[in-house]
Amino acid sequence: TLEVDWTYTDDCNRTITAKKTITVLPAPAAEFEEVENMEITCEEANSFEPGSLSYTNGGTGVCEISGSVPGELSGSYDECGGTLEVDWTYTDDCQRTITAKKTITVLPA
């Protein structure tokens, strides 16, 4: 909150005051950049790294929320193919959580 106080004293030493309280709303929550599902070969799956994903709320100064978080890889595949998933999660200082998920289809060898 922000507060503004006014005080005025007239020539007869009478004082009046006023106060205004301004409620400051939280900055908008951040959003992850867009992710797209993908297909990879069995060989590519052997060395697949989930990577980091960026997020931002488009704010500036103290209202800016931005950065990146590493992905968490899960799933399985074998010579017949399979599915891998990458999950990204971020929780800001206001306890708002955002998530993103990418599904990677592993093609048969």
Side-chain angles (χ1 to χ4, degrees):
T1 59
L2 299 174
E3 295 179 345
V4 180
D5 291 306
W6 294 274
T7 302
Y8 172 74
T9 303
D10 67 13
D11 292 338
C12 298
N13 284 327
R14 296 176 292 192
T15 301
I16 57 172
T17 61
K19 179 178 219 143
K20 180 178 188 177
T21 301
I22 303 165
T23 301
V24 179
L25 300 175
E31 295 180 11
F32 279 116
E33 63 185 68
E34 226 175 283
V35 296
E36 293 184 14
N37 296 335
M38 61 188 289
E39 289 184 348
I40 59 176
T41 66
C42 189
E43 288 298 321
E44 290 171 324
N46 287 329
S47 60
F48 182 80
E49 295 288 330
S52 293
L53 188 63
S54 296
Y55 58 86
T56 185
N57 72 342
T60 59
V62 71
C63 300
E64 178 182 10
I65 301 171
S66 65
S68 65
V69 293
E72 294 185 25
L73 184 63
S74 63
S76 63
Y77 68 96
D78 58 23
E79 70 276 2
C80 299
T83 303
L84 299 174
E85 292 180 334
V86 180
D87 290 287
W88 294 273
T89 303
Y90 171 72
T91 301
D92 67 16
D93 291 340
C94 301
Q95 301 307 307
R96 298 175 295 191
T97 299
I98 59 173
T99 61
K101 179 184 288 279
K102 175 186 257 188
T103 301
I104 299 107
T105 301
V106 180
L107 301 172

